[in-house]
Amino acid sequence: MPEIGTDRWVAEFESRRVRREGPWGRLVDWTSRHWLGLFVVAAVVYPFVIGGDFGIRVGVNALLLAMLAIGLNVVVGYTGLLDLGYVAYYGLGAYGYAFLASEQFGIHLPTLLVVGVVALAVFGIGLVLGQPARRLVGDYLAILTLFFLQVFVELALNLDRLDLPFVDGPVSITGGPNGIAGVDPMEIFGFRFGQVRDYYFLLLVLVVFLIVGVTNLARSRTGIGWRAIREDTLAAEHMTIPSGRLKVLAYAFGAAVAAVSGTVFAAVQLGVFPQNFTVALLIVVYAALVLGGEGSVPGALVGALIIAMVPELLRTPAGARLLFYGGLAVAALTLVKPRRRLLVVVPGIVATGLAVRSLVTALWPDLVDVEAAGMVDRWVVRFVPSADVVVSVLFIVTIAVVLGIVAVRRRGAKDALVVVGVYLLVLVWENRLVEEPSITRQLLFGALLVVLMVARPHGLLGRPRVEVV
Amino acid sequence: MEFFLQQLVNGLTLGGVYALIALGYSMVYGILKLLNFAHGDVYMVGAFAGYAVLVAFGGPTDPRIPVVVLIFAMFLAGMAASGILGVVIERFAYRPLRNAPRIAPLISAVGVSFFLQNAALLVAGARFRSYGTAKMVDPSTGLQWGPLRISIIRIVVILSAVALMVVLHLLVKRTKLGKAMRATAYDREAAAMMGIDVDRVIVATFLIGSVLAGAAGVMVGLVFSRVFHFMGFIAGLKGFTAAVIGGIGSIPGAMMGGLLIGLAEAFSAGYISSTFQNLIVFGLLIAFLLIRPRGIFGVPEPVKV
Amino acid sequence: MATLELSGLTKRFGGLLVVDSLDLTVAEGEIVSLIGPNGAGKTTVFNLISGVFAPDEGDILLDGSSIVGLPRHEIARRGVARTFQTLRVFLNMTVAENVIAAEYASGKVGAVRSFFGTPAARAEAARMRAVAEERLRFFGERLIGYRLDQPAYSLSYANRRRLEIARAMATGAGLLLLDEPAAGMNPAETQEITRLIGELRDDAGYTILVIEHDMHVVEGISDRVVALDHGVKIAEGSFEDVAADPAVIEAYLGTGGAATK
């Protein structure tokens, strides 16, 4: 952790320069200077390597998330406005596209016009709804914007049976819980977007455009002003920076970026539904941003790619196992120190498993599914479906044990807890988590946010921050 | 008139619950300047703990112990589970971030909230659970006053909410711990220098706030009979706003704010539109946040230069 | 470049009268020191001038026109720049960025052109950096070269004070409000800052109002000294006159009568 007033930066200047030499240092250096080019090359190759539609769809989701995270980075990472209503603007963009390009109102405007109109309109909405950012700070703004999101969701859900004057019968604006289906695909300069791949490349262009633009902005007086406001709003104002105007600008800019990605999302999905724009998505975007490192554009990009692509492994049981046991191995390696203690811990885990299994089978034979015959099943207790209460209780116990591992300092006790914890994790994983990939994924996102904040608040590529609290 | 009084009772019940939730937000915010996003989910866990006790003792139709004892045990379980959870959250998600950048504890809190919701989803499933209070206590018993009837369970809920708040008030005003809490809220560093164990005070604050939230969870289960993994989100939002409306950090303010929101919700549901009930309440809350973010009892924070 | 005129300036915090109908003029190119014991209301005067608080009564004229009630950034843009007693550099920004941030008002390129990276935007960014370098050069070699990219949090105390002054200069203001520029500095650094404040006026043409506790600094730089106590001006004049003034001595040391009160 950096500290105020210690001139370590100067002392380490030379060692930083040295670290950039040598083949590895030069590679890291080169990568960090050409990351955008590397990303573009990899992204262009990706659909041809991955083949199938599913893989490309994952890519589309990753790029959408990248756009959202880079837009949010301007609001949160640069300007320090904690916008918890961000996803609403994504929704507004999607609904805006659906209104202007579907049978909902029988309007089918050209794509570029729709996107332009929607982006400008949402930017305007952002300018209006961003006004409170001038006065409200920190948590107040966070809660207010979260209410904005709730209002948006409520409107999307309930504006389907509206009695309007001069119109017969109830009018549906948003289609309520069923949303709007049958949205037009995009068409730009006569090119009709037929496949997911088309959207993938469109998004790639948009993401690169956005990265270049935001990087330019960050170097301009606007971007530096944003960051000064986050550092110290009052001091920034004394340095001629109009903080209110710049805050609103950042907020509306983020909204417009979200809206543009929303239009593409609506077109890819050929429909919009209220459940696409809830707090769950908000968490995903925040997870992407803080994983990469808020305040860093490449960080937002990398975070989004990881968050969007890695959990896809959870979809297939084989991939999920790979991810889970891989993660477990890494965790054990970092938790058990010195490493040679693993010689005790690993056999301990195996022995625990065998012991527990034979004990449970002997004591409560009707709880155990003896039919299961995978490799892991000989070791782990496989419960019958009717014993799900037991699994639920074990799940809670597992959380407690894992927290215990963090809290306990005595090495022996810690290792013992690691043994029990790993076994319990495997048990719960095999019995429940693996069958609920979507819940598991969200559990992981929630835990990731906490762990990141505690262990590495600046994420993978961000810079550690110093604040006077 | 009868309808009005019925809504009034509804509002008071709801208000008592929101007030209990708001107290936890307000106390924690007062001391740590932290918006404990997970507080609503602590309340949800309390409701589930009550439900677990109910099921463990035979369920509403056929309880194995006297109903009064059962309800008491449910309250105890809800408060204990929430209290422990609150302390655990503080220890693992907030304490390491005491001196971190401002944004970190908030994001951590959002993460905890999301984790708890999904853990509950995993453990209890997505369907609504019902306490089935009507089967446990005959809904026709209670106070009959002209056309107005208040069921016994509502009376119990309102009275216990009031009792808890009185206890809290005495605790904060009369005990040594209460004094330490007020001192810590005023200036944490100075309090630490005066020999107050700030960590202990913070843990106590989380414990008390979470216990109140747990009680609120059981109350909602008893009166409104819907317990599910997502129930803490909206209730938490409203509880926080109740704390803001009352003036964050102020205990009587939180009680007042809770009542106001409860009443506003009951009356807008009763008189305007139940479809747009949430929307109306959210609109009110937004308006309040915009017009008077320091709340009724709050004092504006001085500009530090 | 700048004259400042306070007339009847009054500020209350609740019932406490912090600044009491203060009249004060700083002529163009003058260095005026504001002295007084702790709690005399010196920093509050700065806060009133720079727009942190609005005065309850009285007026503040900058070059003849009132700046009361203007937003803070507008006051800065009109020509009042300040430093802070408690050091408020933008910690997580580099030395150069700190100074560039203060050049905001001098920029003409909007966000849209910046986004697209037009030649004008690039030219402006380059110009701003050059200006920042020039401002920092005022302090010799200390903050330029590779140090331009040093994060501000890692600067020493004295360098953060220097950076604050460079930042104030970069706003383009003609009037500098320096709040205890020598606080926390060692004797050598104090001497240097005394010389620098002189140069700020002589070479760079700034008008300066300074709060300072170190009487050697005050003696070394001031054209005029104003002493405050409990928000009231108790003495004004040359350093020698003010230092010998009985009211000032009493404010600082107290008297037998004051002690028994």
Side-chain angles (χ1 to χ4, degrees):
Chain A
M1 239 2 222
E3 286 159 40
I4 299 178
T6 55
D7 215 338
R8 204 178 296 160
W9 190 87
V10 174
E12 288 170 357
F13 187 75
E14 192 56 22
S15 66
R16 269 201 304 279
R17 200 182 57 78
V18 172
R19 214 179 309 149
R20 283 172 170 244
E21 286 170 357
W24 174 246
R26 244 175 277 154
L27 183 70
V28 172
D29 200 33
W30 188 83
T31 315
S32 68
R33 266 187 287 122
H34 299 89
W35 59 273
L36 187 56
L38 287 171
F39 163 70
V40 170
V41 170
V44 168
V45 175
Y46 171 81
F48 301 101
V49 176
I50 204 81
D53 247 16
F54 176 74
I56 300 176
R57 209 166 264 282
V58 171
V60 164
N61 288 338
L63 292 176
L64 280 171
L65 186 57
M67 272 189 88
L68 286 176
I70 294 168
L72 185 64
N73 180 45
V74 169
V75 187
V76 179
Y78 288 164
T79 322
L81 305 173
L82 201 61
D83 179 7
L84 297 184
Y86 186 66
V87 168
Y89 300 103
Y90 186 55
L92 278 176
Y95 272 96
Y97 184 83
F99 289 158
L100 299 179
S102 77
E103 271 309 306
Q104 182 73 359
F105 300 117
I107 306 173
H108 300 274
L109 294 179
T111 298
L112 282 180
L113 183 64
V114 174
V115 175
V117 167
V118 168
L120 274 180
V122 175
F123 183 76
I125 294 174
L127 287 182
V128 174
L129 294 186
Q131 292 301 322
R134 287 171 178 268
R135 284 201 305 135
L136 290 181
V137 289
D139 308 346
Y140 286 91
L141 187 67
I143 202 88
L144 181 75
T145 49
L146 190 57
F147 274 123
F148 286 165
L149 175 57
Q150 286 318 111
V151 168
F152 169 77
V153 173
E154 289 279 331
L155 284 176
L157 281 171
N158 290 317
L159 288 184
D160 57 340
R161 296 179 305 274
L162 210 59
D163 291 311
L164 292 180
F166 314 116
V167 186
D168 291 330
V171 179
S172 171
I173 296 178
T174 60
N178 299 325
I180 301 170
V183 169
D184 300 345
M186 288 190 158
E187 187 176 338
I188 297 175
F189 299 130
F191 176 78
R192 203 169 169 79
F193 286 63
Q195 304 174 39
V196 193
R197 180 179 299 187
D198 303 337
Y199 288 104
Y200 176 86
F201 283 109
L202 171 69
L203 277 169
L204 182 57
V205 172
L206 283 175
V207 166
V208 172
F209 174 71
L210 183 64
I211 288 176
V212 172
V214 170
T215 314
N216 284 338
L217 264 182
R219 282 196 275 257
S220 74
R221 65 177 182 137
T222 312
I224 290 178
W226 279 335
R227 286 169 54 209
I229 289 168
R230 174 174 183 181
E231 291 298 318
D232 189 334
T233 308
L234 187 82
E237 289 170 356
H238 285 309
M239 298 307 136
T240 70
I241 294 169
S243 70
R245 206 187 316 152
L246 278 189
K247 280 182 183 174
V248 175
L249 179 67
Y251 187 86
F253 178 81
V257 170
V260 171
S261 21
T263 60
V264 183
F265 174 69
V268 177
Q269 175 171 262
L270 298 173
V272 288
F273 313 99
Q275 60 270 28
N276 292 136
F277 312 105
T278 57
V279 179
L281 178 63
L282 184 74
I283 303 285
V284 172
V285 181
Y286 267 90
L289 183 58
V290 298
L291 175 66
E294 40 134 357
S296 152
V297 175
L301 177 70
V302 168
L305 297 183
I306 294 175
I307 290 284
M309 302 183 95
V310 171
E312 287 305 321
L313 290 173
L314 287 171
R315 275 192 208 279
T316 64
R321 288 228 161 80
L322 182 73
L323 193 66
F324 174 74
Y325 289 105
L328 214 54
V330 172
L333 276 175
T334 45
L335 279 173
V336 183
K337 294 225 166 100
R339 295 265 158 76
R340 62 185 141 77
R341 293 180 82 93
L342 280 171
L343 292 177
V344 185
V345 169
V346 173
I349 295 169
V350 175
T352 311
L354 296 172
V356 171
R357 188 176 191 280
S358 35
L359 208 66
V360 174
T361 321
L363 289 177
W364 303 284
D366 48 335
L367 287 185
V368 181
D369 181 3
V370 282
E371 305 283 294
M375 200 183 74
V376 202
D377 301 315
R378 291 172 203 283
W379 174 61
V380 101
V381 183
R382 175 78 64 172
F383 289 100
V384 291
S386 61
D388 65 341
V389 177
V390 178
V391 181
S392 294
V393 172
L394 283 175
F395 172 70
I396 296 168
V397 174
T398 310
I399 296 174
V401 172
V402 170
L403 292 178
I405 297 175
V406 179
V408 168
R409 289 192 191 283
R410 275 229 337 272
R411 210 183 271 151
K414 198 183 196 100
D415 288 353
L417 279 177
V418 168
V419 170
V420 179
V422 168
Y423 179 71
L424 278 174
L425 271 173
V426 174
L427 194 71
V428 175
W429 169 265
E430 291 292 338
N431 278 292
R432 179 71 60 83
L433 291 175
V434 81
E435 286 154 23
E436 303 275 7
S438 67
I439 301 180
T440 304
R441 181 171 6 180
Q442 301 195 332
L443 274 175
L444 288 180
F445 287 154
L448 177 74
L449 286 184
V450 181
V451 172
L452 267 178
M453 284 305 110
V454 173
R456 199 179 161 87
H458 53 287
L460 295 174
L461 299 180
R463 285 216 192 93
R465 285 177 59 81
V466 173
E467 273 179 27
V468 185
V469 202
Chain B
M1 191 59 191
E2 184 199 337
F3 185 68
F4 174 83
L5 287 175
Q6 209 66 58
Q7 295 306 325
L8 185 70
V9 174
N10 271 345
L12 286 178
T13 324
L14 213 50
V17 170
Y18 288 150
L20 287 179
I21 302 175
L23 283 169
Y25 274 117
S26 205
M27 287 162 59
V28 167
Y29 199 94
I31 286 192
L32 281 180
K33 299 281 167 287
L34 162 73
L35 170 47
N36 180 10
F37 244 103
H39 192 62
D41 303 287
V42 170
Y43 143 93
M44 174 269 293
V45 168
F48 268 109
Y51 179 77
V53 167
L54 179 67
V55 173
F57 284 104
T61 38
D62 174 28
R64 262 181 266 140
I65 51 175
V67 169
V68 179
V69 180
L70 178 60
I71 290 182
F72 190 70
M74 287 162 66
F75 267 109
L76 270 188
M79 291 158 85
S82 294
I84 294 169
L85 181 63
V87 171
V88 168
I89 293 174
E90 192 277 328
R91 165 69 183 75
F92 289 98
Y94 302 147
R95 193 180 304 171
L97 301 174
R98 225 32 92 59
N99 296 313
R102 277 178 285 273
I103 233 170
L106 246 176
I107 291 180
S108 179
V110 171
V112 172
S113 162
F114 202 59
F115 184 87
L116 288 178
Q117 278 168 25
N118 284 287
L121 179 60
L122 192 80
V123 169
R127 66 194 166 87
F128 293 110
R129 308 295 173 119
S130 166
Y131 276 23
T133 320
K135 291 177 216 143
M136 209 162 27
V137 184
D138 183 0
S140 63
T141 53
L143 276 181
Q144 187 82 30
W145 189 56
L148 176 74
R149 201 177 56 216
I150 313 177
S151 75
I152 185 82
I153 212 77
R154 273 180 195 256
I155 296 174
V156 168
V157 162
I158 295 180
L159 284 183
S160 43
V162 171
L164 284 171
M165 288 186 229
V166 170
V167 170
L168 177 72
H169 182 77
L170 292 179
L171 183 86
V172 172
K173 288 286 175 202
R174 297 280 166 81
T175 65
K176 214 172 158 190
L177 175 67
K179 202 184 258 181
M181 284 168 73
R182 280 181 289 149
T184 311
Y186 194 77
D187 187 332
R188 201 194 322 157
E189 272 178 31
M193 281 178 224
M194 295 301 121
I196 294 174
D197 184 347
V198 169
D199 270 339
R200 250 191 62 210
V201 170
I202 291 172
V203 168
T205 308
F206 269 87
L207 181 70
I208 295 168
S210 307
V211 163
L212 295 180
V218 177
M219 288 175 189
V220 162
L222 284 173
V223 177
F224 302 98
S225 262
R226 286 217 316 185
V227 177
F228 58 108
H229 69 282
F230 206 56
M231 69 188 279
F233 178 67
I234 298 285
L237 273 186
K238 289 178 183 161
F240 178 76
T241 319
V244 170
I245 285 182
I248 202 142
S250 150
I251 288 179
M255 299 178 189
M256 188 78 142
L259 278 185
L260 270 177
I261 290 202
L263 289 173
E265 191 169 333
F267 282 111
S268 60
Y271 283 95
I272 307 178
S273 148
S274 59
T275 315
F276 293 108
Q277 168 200 348
N278 271 343
L279 216 53
I280 293 166
V281 176
F282 291 158
L284 267 178
L285 305 186
I286 290 176
F288 215 103
L289 277 168
L290 289 180
I291 297 165
R292 198 175 159 80
R294 297 295 167 204
I296 303 172
F297 292 95
V299 281
E301 233 169 81
V303 188
K304 282 188 187 151
V305 194
Chain C
M1 265 181 71
T3 62
L4 178 73
E5 217 180 315
L6 313 181
S7 53
L9 202 64
T10 300
K11 179 70 189 173
R12 291 181 198 86
F13 288 134
L16 188 68
L17 200 54
V18 192
V19 179
D20 189 0
S21 40
L22 176 71
D23 297 315
L24 175 70
T25 313
V26 185
E28 189 181 320
E30 199 180 16
I31 300 181
V32 176
S33 294
L34 209 49
I35 65 167
N38 287 325
K42 304 180 298 287
T43 297
T44 305
V45 171
F46 272 24
N47 286 338
L48 291 171
I49 299 171
S50 62
V52 178
F53 308 125
D56 293 321
E57 286 159 41
D59 206 358
I60 303 168
L61 302 179
L62 181 71
D63 295 329
S65 56
S66 174
I67 54 170
V68 170
L70 291 177
R72 295 190 264 270
H73 65 89
E74 187 55 39
I75 292 177
R77 192 183 287 244
R78 298 247 180 128
V80 180
R82 70 173 290 181
T83 66
F84 299 87
Q85 189 184 343
T86 47
L87 285 177
R88 297 179 78 152
V89 296
F90 305 125
L91 290 174
N92 295 293
M93 293 163 63
T94 65
V95 168
E97 284 167 345
N98 262 278
V99 184
I100 294 172
E103 293 173 49
Y104 185 89
S106 77
K108 287 178 186 60
V109 176
V112 176
R113 275 194 289 169
S114 296
F115 184 89
F116 288 102
T118 59
R122 281 159 194 274
E124 184 177 280
R127 180 184 60 75
M128 283 184 164
R129 186 161 170 111
V131 171
E133 220 168 313
E134 191 195 312
R135 293 286 175 268
L136 288 163
R137 202 171 294 270
F138 188 76
F139 302 95
E141 299 295 312
R142 277 212 181 75
L143 290 171
I144 55 172
Y146 73 98
R147 288 239 187 195
L148 283 171
D149 296 318
Q150 177 171 1
Y153 64 75
S154 67
L155 290 174
S156 70
Y157 200 82
N159 269 340
R160 271 182 286 151
R161 285 234 179 269
R162 295 184 183 106
L163 179 57
E164 274 216 337
I165 294 174
R167 200 174 62 167
M169 291 161 73
T171 60
L175 173 68
L176 298 184
L177 310 177
L178 306 180
D179 199 342
E180 299 199 22
M185 290 194 164
N186 67 29
E189 287 165 343
T190 305
Q191 234 173 28
E192 183 200 304
I193 206 85
T194 312
R195 180 175 54 78
L196 279 174
I197 292 173
E199 285 175 15
L200 276 175
R201 189 259 313 267
D202 300 341
D203 303 349
Y206 287 97
T207 306
I208 297 170
L209 182 61
V210 57
I211 295 176
E212 188 49 65
H213 277 304
D214 188 323
M215 286 305 145
H216 296 296
V217 179
V218 175
E219 183 175 13
I221 58 175
S222 311
D223 297 323
R224 199 145 49 84
V225 176
V226 174
L228 286 187
D229 188 29
H230 293 110
V232 184
K233 182 161 77 177
I234 53 173
E236 181 170 4
S238 71
F239 176 79
E240 291 74 18
D241 292 349
V242 171
D245 193 300
V248 174
I249 295 170
E250 185 188 331
Y252 272 93
L253 302 174
T255 62
T260 52
K261 218 170 11 189

